[in-house]
Amino acid sequence: MTFPAGFSASGITAGLKASGNPDLALVRNNGPRFDAAAVFTSNRVAAAPVHWSRQAISDGRADAVVLNSGGANACTGPEGFANTHATAEHVAAVLSVGSGDVLVCSTGLIGEQLPMDKILPGVDAAAAALDTGNEFDGGAAAATAIMTTDTVSKQAGFAGTGYSIGAMAKGAGMLAPGLATMLVVITTDAVLDAPQLDAALREATRVSFDRADSDGCMSTNDTVILMSSGASETTPDIAEFTDGLKGVCVELAQALISDAEGAAHEITIRTFNAATEDDAVEVSRTVARSNLFKTAIFGQDPNWGRVLSAVGTTKAAFEPDELNVSINGIQVCRLGGVGDDRNLVDLTGRNVLVEIDLNAGIDEASLWTNDLTHDYVHENSAYSS
């Protein structure tokens, strides 16, 4: 988070989690620029902090982001929105910035009010921690404080030509576009205005977070924020910046899938020779959401029939007798029929590559998902933050 110049971060324990683990993070843009962009969940049942932050970011500026785990503040009505507003106002007062330039993110259990008697003192503690210790430790502490069912914190970075990008993310369940059940804060010291940041961010999320699909369930709180301090005094080539941003987002999206709740396999589904990129995305996503396919991979069964049956439900252009499917390099389906011996497929490792050849064009797209396991059911039958 603090790899780019001009940012400070902290993560502290405010007492929101019964576990006593860190649960409140603060990221501050120290300038000299405060350009920003963000994308949010497309879930119509959006959490209070999503509504607040959508409004706050509309002018393309953000001075700080406060994030809490231990409670989603979703489906909490007017009181929940008032609590988000109060949190932003408190951060603004402590940091001497405008409340309309403070973004708020929350994650955790839906349908419970946040304990403001813990949140507000937590903001004070997080603000005090911004100016103490090593800045890189502050970034790591922030990444830890936003974890819920995550087993590891998630950070990524990119060193560009005279500028840098840093990021943190959380997410381990309800991973499905739009975005995923994620909170992501990305920082850069490049000199870029808000429209440039917005265009780059949307292109990056399109091929990263929007293609991480663990369980087909869309969160109420998804937020991805990109802030620029301009502290490097470097205006980058926008194509290079966008590519670097894509790389950071892809790395984090894959980290989310790697840490998905209960997962025993990380699965890449690549659909190629498609008539359009949209066709390739639709096919890959449909297979990724097939519980029959996901349980087969968990059982180390290369059941390619479950792949074909899922492909057949899509609107993608293809001829059934021209489909090919390979699993971990073994072409188990050839021209819509039996291919190589399925017993040659090795699924004992964690990584699985499924390749679907539509023989209908030249476009392709990959999605990342995971298998469906007993542990996933157990974790989500008694969720707590």
Side-chain angles (χ1 to χ4, degrees), residues 8 65 72 191 196:
S8 52
V65 183
V191 178
Q196 291 173 310

Side-chain angles (χ1 to χ4, degrees), residues 23-378:
D23 48 27
L24 194 142
L26 188 61
V27 180
R28 181 174 188 176
N29 183 352
N30 298 304
R33 296 176 63 101
F34 301 90
D35 304 279
V39 290
F40 302 93
T41 182
S42 57
N43 196 323
R44 291 168 62 194
V45 182
V50 170
H51 290 298
W52 170 271
S53 295
R54 274 182 178 147
Q55 180 179 343
I57 198 68
S58 62
D59 64 353
R61 175 171 177 146
D63 290 28
V65 183
V66 59
L67 312 94
N68 75 271
S69 53
N73 196 7
C75 306
T76 49
E79 182 181 350
F81 188 81
N83 287 337
T84 295
H85 188 177
T87 301
E89 291 278 3
H90 197 75
V91 171
V94 172
L95 299 183
S96 298
V97 300
S99 61
D101 297 321
V102 176
L103 306 186
V104 182
C105 302
S106 299
T107 182
L109 193 63
I110 293 171
E112 294 186 355
Q113 298 292 349
L114 292 177
M116 298 305 290
D117 60 332
K118 296 179 180 178
I119 290 278
L120 300 185
V123 168
D124 295 333
L130 288 175
D131 300 319
T132 61
N134 185 290
E135 286 188 345
F136 290 95
D137 290 339
T144 298
I146 62 175
M147 293 167 57
T148 51
T149 58
D150 307 66
T151 64
V152 294
S153 61
K154 302 167 181 72
Q155 298 184 81
F158 171 77
T161 306
Y163 68 95
S164 59
I165 301 172
M168 68 176 180
K170 67 77 52 180
M174 290 183 76
L175 293 174
L179 304 181
T181 188
M182 65 173 70
L183 302 182
V184 180
V185 180
I186 307 167
T187 58
T188 181
D189 50 17
V191 178
L192 293 169
D193 62 26
Q196 291 173 310
L197 294 173
D198 184 75
L201 182 61
R202 292 181 186 278
E203 174 59 20
T205 57
R206 185 184 72 82
V207 297
S208 57
F209 299 123
D210 278 344
R211 295 188 182 177
D213 198 327
S214 171
D215 52 15
C217 299
M218 186 189 299
S219 170
T220 55
N221 290 60
D222 301 332
T223 302
V224 181
I225 297 164
L226 172 60
M227 298 191 294
S228 173
S229 68
S232 70
E233 299 184 353
T234 297
T235 300
D237 175 79
I238 193 63
E240 179 193 275
F241 178 84
T242 302
D243 284 345
L245 184 62
K246 284 181 184 178
V248 167
C249 292
V250 166
E251 182 178 343
L252 289 175
Q254 292 177 335
L256 298 179
I257 291 296
S258 177
D259 196 29
E261 292 170 346
H265 293 87
E266 300 158 34
I267 309 167
T268 298
I269 302 174
R270 172 183 176 242
T271 299
F272 64 104
N273 289 336
T276 66
E277 184 181 12
D278 287 345
D279 276 5
V281 170
E282 182 186 4
V283 167
S284 291
R285 192 180 313 287
T286 301
V287 174
R289 292 186 174 181
S290 167
N291 286 339
L292 285 174
F293 163 73
K294 291 156 77 76
T295 52
I297 297 300
F298 171 58
Q300 299 183 22
D301 177 8
N303 192 330
W304 57 270
R306 295 182 177 180
V307 176
L308 253 63
S309 65
V311 174
T313 68
T314 71
K315 296 179 181 178
F318 66 84
E319 293 298 328
D321 59 358
E322 294 182 3
L323 295 173
N324 299 314
V325 177
S326 296
I327 302 177
N328 279 356
I330 306 299
Q331 193 177 74
V332 288
C333 169
R334 185 174 294 114
L335 298 178
V338 179
D340 297 337
D341 184 356
R342 58 192 284 172
N343 293 317
L344 296 174
V345 179
D346 182 4
L347 293 174
T348 57
R350 188 170 177 90
N351 295 311
V352 177
L353 173 62
V354 177
E355 296 176 290
I356 304 166
D357 179 1
L358 296 184
N359 270 316
I362 61 172
D363 286 317
E364 69 172 84
S366 294
L367 264 76
W368 308 290
T369 189
N370 51 270
D371 53 352
L372 180 57
T373 70
H374 304 298
D375 287 343
Y376 175 85
V377 175
H378 176 75

